[in-house]
Amino acid sequence: MSIETLAPARASQLAAEFGLKPDEVERMLAILGRSPSLTELGIFSVMWSEHCSYKSSRVWLRELPTKAPWVVHGPGENAGVIDIGGGLVAVFKMESHNHPSFIEPYQGAATGVGGILRDVFTMGARPIANLNALRFGLPGAPRMKSTIDGVVRGIGGYGNCVGVPTVGGEVNFHAAYNGNPLVNAMTVGIAPKGGIFLSAAAGVGNSVVYVGSKTGRDGIHGATMASTEFTADSEEKRPTVQIGDPFAEKLLIEACLELMQTDAIVAIQDMGAAGLTSSSVEMAGKGGVGIELVMDNVPQREEGMTAYEMMLSESQERMLMVLRPGAEHIAERIFTKWELDFAVIGHLTDTGHITIRHKGILEADIPLAPLESEAPLYRRPTAETPKQPVLRADAVADPVGIEAALLQLVACPDLCSRRWIWDQYDSMVGGQTAKRPGAADAAVVRLEETSRALALTTDCTPRYCFADPEEGGRQAVAEAWRNITATGALPLAITDNMNFGNPEKPEIMGQFASAVRGMASACIALDFPVVSGNVSLYNETEGKGILPTPAIGGVGVLEDVALAMGLAMPEGAELVLIGETRGWLGQSLWLREIAGQEAGAPPPVDLAAERRNGDFVRAQILSGTVRACHDCSDGGLLVAVAEMAMASGVGATLQAGPDATPAHAHWFGEDQSRYVLAVPDAAALLAAARAAGVPATRLGRSGGEALVLPGGASISVATLRHAHEATLPALMGN
Amino acid sequence: MQAGIVLFPGTNRERDMALALQRVTGRKPAMLWHRDTDLPAGTDLVILPGGFSYGDYLRCGAMAAQSPIMRAIRDFAAGGGHVLGVCNGFQMLVEAGLLPGALLRNASLRFLSMDCHLRVERTDTPYTRHFQRGAVFRSTMAHGDGNYFADEATLDRLEGENLVALRYVTPAGEPTAAANRNGSARNIAGVLSPNLRVMGLMPHPENQVDPLIDGTDGLPLFESLAEALAAA
């Protein structure tokens, strides 16, 4: 059967429209040995898009450590898999949906949640928690209020309906995201060890089965859209955004997990970016087999769809599976029970090609091996970010005093209460959420019918990454490790979501390379490997890039959920600060919010100290001698103490820092690797710290209804809470 | 107690409910399917759990109220059976006509996931006998459509017949507007049928049954049921 190819001039014109570069077109022509058909051109353009091929980032990502004895599957599968003991594995990944969320905030964010859920349950894991990492522009920027509202509603609308609790996340506001907000969604699932499903197809002749929702014309070329910068006419790209149906997803979760109890499935993959194209190409490619698909059998939502449209559609809530021979009826019965579409749309072949037929016509015939092996891979030029000078603490005067600065800081957008957001997310469904949003440094979710729990967090400090991408990358990993440690859990592994600008600019590619270097150093020092991840480039609008944002999703394990540590200040405890305070004001929130500067080098992370301090704190928590624990991060020491006080309503009386450090630098400096512990007996803790070689200082005593500063000035916890809670409702209008 | 939890497409709090029942009875309840036309013999409690049945794409609970199993549940209730509807299950009970009123969009027009405090309005029911009269307990809500509505005559009748089971109140027990986050008429969080056997409520006491998770404030409701149905 012959194939209807495009005239060469038309092919090169369309290739440019689809985002293929001239050298990539040459490679495609060499592989095919002829001009492509429209469907083939579509397949090449999405498979070789930045989004699917990681062509600019792959050479750098190889530098990240991905192995540890507890890593079961690292990057390369739909999600990472780690052994968490007790015969269980955790399956998790974080993924961006930045470009769709900018164009259509509700659906963009909702389908981001849906996509990452599928990446996890396609591996056989029941999703038990969702988290997110969000970056918005300044709340007053054009369209930003509706973007924030839409993103939060979208995340809630999807997660609440599928019944997976949204237990944690982070939000920053900065002008650099005015034209390009970031929406990163993370899902964590649990499966029995040995119960993991992979995507490599096997068994020539086996049926290829389509399940889930019908295919429509939505999201065609979404992956290509996500691989370009935005311009003023980006609104015209709205038809490339997909529409989510969380109800269908819920049915798909239950149907897939039910089918996974049988032995019917050989391989399974969700249809995510680039839909049927990427799932079929990747499944067959990984398995080293060929695949033949008959488009006539694809369940279709609209009439008259072409093979090109069906292969490129990004309709949501769909999965592709390879079944063992004769198992079709088992799958069909389960999917019919759950009222989902089920169709055999093809079979595996021994040709090594993907062939697509529709209405008796051969629409595509592409050899799979070169489609992957010849995929473009760029080592793009990099330019290092110039180092910033270290800002001396005594070089910045305190313009307002400690109490006024504290009140202003706890109310600023980057530090104010996130209650307005998390009140819209069901964080309790499942009945296993031991530490809800705001209760601890990381969310803690128990594993059903066990005493074991996972501690989960997302972290990144983009202003540090912009000032020094290597330090910032290191700090992002360290902070995730620290937040998990502060709950008493042992940090095990991370997923990363690399959000950067246009990689064709050397300074952006330089940010990327440096951030990876910093992350890798922390991953190695902290035994905290990367097991999955996602890269989002071209986060630019009108040529202005975002702050480099390597968001880290961390997972740790706690063997006894009863030991999970919260941050709420208890009555009548002694407060001890673990870690060293030098008063590092460079890139601090105090410097930005109070002194009006974004300047200086960011605080460095001493990885040896990080490890030592954290291991000490975790051991103390697990020994049962700690009543509350909170790390010092944005806003520094006094903000950390205030956050503990606001969580319970209990105040504290604080001791002065060393004379040599200016008071504002002592209280608001953002030195790393520090924790505030509330304990019954400070002397015992100080002695244990001394023995372990860990810096520890007496900080004060909890009690009362105010924070009493050295010298007697005091600020009531109620006043702090009022300021802390008022900001987001006031910004959002309710 | 022979409890059955009904699964509809989109139900998502069935596991929470099963764990709560298991905590007081020591065994797993039966899971029933929406297409079933009969209840298992010996069933003495049917629970319609929370979730988004049929995606809540039509009026919440309206599709589920037309399910095959609802005919059997109506007969069961008419025969004096115990039926508890929580959140989406409460919405199904009003859509099925087993309880009066309707549940409208929250007054804020936003999904609300937060703590709430509930005052127990009577303790002589199978659902509340383990509470003290006037007791206030903490629970959580998680819904977009929990704003209880009925016409004034119906509300007066519910009050007159003492069929309001639970009200949203402050921790001190005051039914203020601020404590009534979803905007429900007269702060109503839960209502009873005249024979006190059918109850619907919006909050999720099944999430407050475990000291290691979110405290045990909701446990008396399940202990009440276990005792009432053990005696039956």
Side-chain angles (χ1 to χ4, degrees), chain A residues 277-302:
Chain A
T277 293
S278 64
S279 53
S280 57
V281 166
E282 287 172 16
M283 288 179 80
K286 277 184 188 166
V289 292
I291 187 167
E292 169 146 327
L293 300 178
V294 180
M295 293 294 104
D296 310 69
N297 297 343
V298 172
Q300 294 159 51
R301 196 195 305 143
E302 300 173 53

Side-chain angles (χ1 to χ4, degrees), chain A residues 460-502:
Chain A
C460 182
T461 313
R463 61 181 189 280
Y464 295 173
C465 298
F466 184 66
D468 183 335
E470 183 171 348
E471 270 310 333
R474 184 151 43 236
Q475 193 273 345
V477 174
E479 189 175 348
W481 189 85
R482 204 180 300 150
N483 280 328
I484 291 168
T485 292
T487 67
L490 180 67
L492 290 179
I494 62 171
T495 178
D496 59 10
N497 202 144
M498 309 292 286
N499 307 274
F500 288 77
N502 181 347

Side-chain angles (χ1 to χ4, degrees), chain B residues 65-80:
Chain B
Q66 305 302 320
S67 296
I69 201 168
M70 287 306 283
R71 188 185 303 268
I73 292 171
R74 274 200 193 85
D75 292 346
F76 175 72

Side-chain angles (χ1 to χ4, degrees), chain A residues 335-375:
Chain A
F335 281 87
T336 304
K337 170 186 160 188
W338 289 100
E339 301 176 27
L340 291 165
D341 271 297
F342 170 95
V344 177
I345 64 165
H347 63 277
L348 300 183
T349 66
D350 60 3
T351 62
H353 284 224
I354 178 168
T355 50
I356 309 289
R357 294 174 195 278
H358 189 216
K359 296 181 174 168
I361 293 168
L362 182 63
E363 294 280 355
D365 184 1
I366 302 171
L368 286 164
L371 182 58
E372 196 210 336
S373 65
E374 296 288 308

Side-chain angles (χ1 to χ4, degrees), chain A residues 126 149 153 160-163 244-247 250-251 337-339 420 422-434 436 446 448-449 561-562 734, chain B residues 9-16 19 22 28 33-35 52-55 57 108-115 138 140 142 181 207-208 210 212-214:
Chain A
R126 177 172 285 279
D149 187 53
R153 281 182 191 271
N160 297 343
C161 183
V162 295
D245 178 355
F247 172 57
K250 171 66 173 163
L251 303 183
K337 170 186 160 188
W338 289 100
E339 301 176 27
W420 181 88
W422 78 55
D423 274 358
Q424 300 185 55
Y425 301 154
D426 187 343
S427 56
M428 297 295 288
V429 61
Q432 303 296 333
T433 309
R436 291 151 71 177
R446 186 177 59 187
E448 211 172 292
E449 295 179 345
V561 71
N734 68 350
Chain B
T11 292
N12 66 24
R13 257 186 169 84
E14 75 280 7
R15 301 159 80 85
D16 315 40
L19 290 170
Q22 199 175 341
K28 290 181 197 287
W33 188 240
H34 64 112
R35 288 192 179 280
F52 286 67
S53 56
Y54 295 93
Y57 291 156
S108 64
L109 304 183
R110 289 187 185 280
F111 190 93
L112 296 176
S113 169
M114 54 183 58
D115 279 358
R138 186 183 63 80
T140 44
R181 292 295 298 265
N207 284 144
Q208 285 80 41
D210 185 338
L212 293 176
I213 298 298
D214 193 34

Side-chain angles (χ1 to χ4, degrees), chain A residues 434-456:
Chain A
K435 295 293 178 197
R436 291 151 71 177
D441 280 1
V444 176
V445 181
R446 186 177 59 187
L447 310 179
E448 211 172 292
E449 295 179 345
T450 76
S451 61
R452 203 170 279 271
L454 296 183
L456 310 168

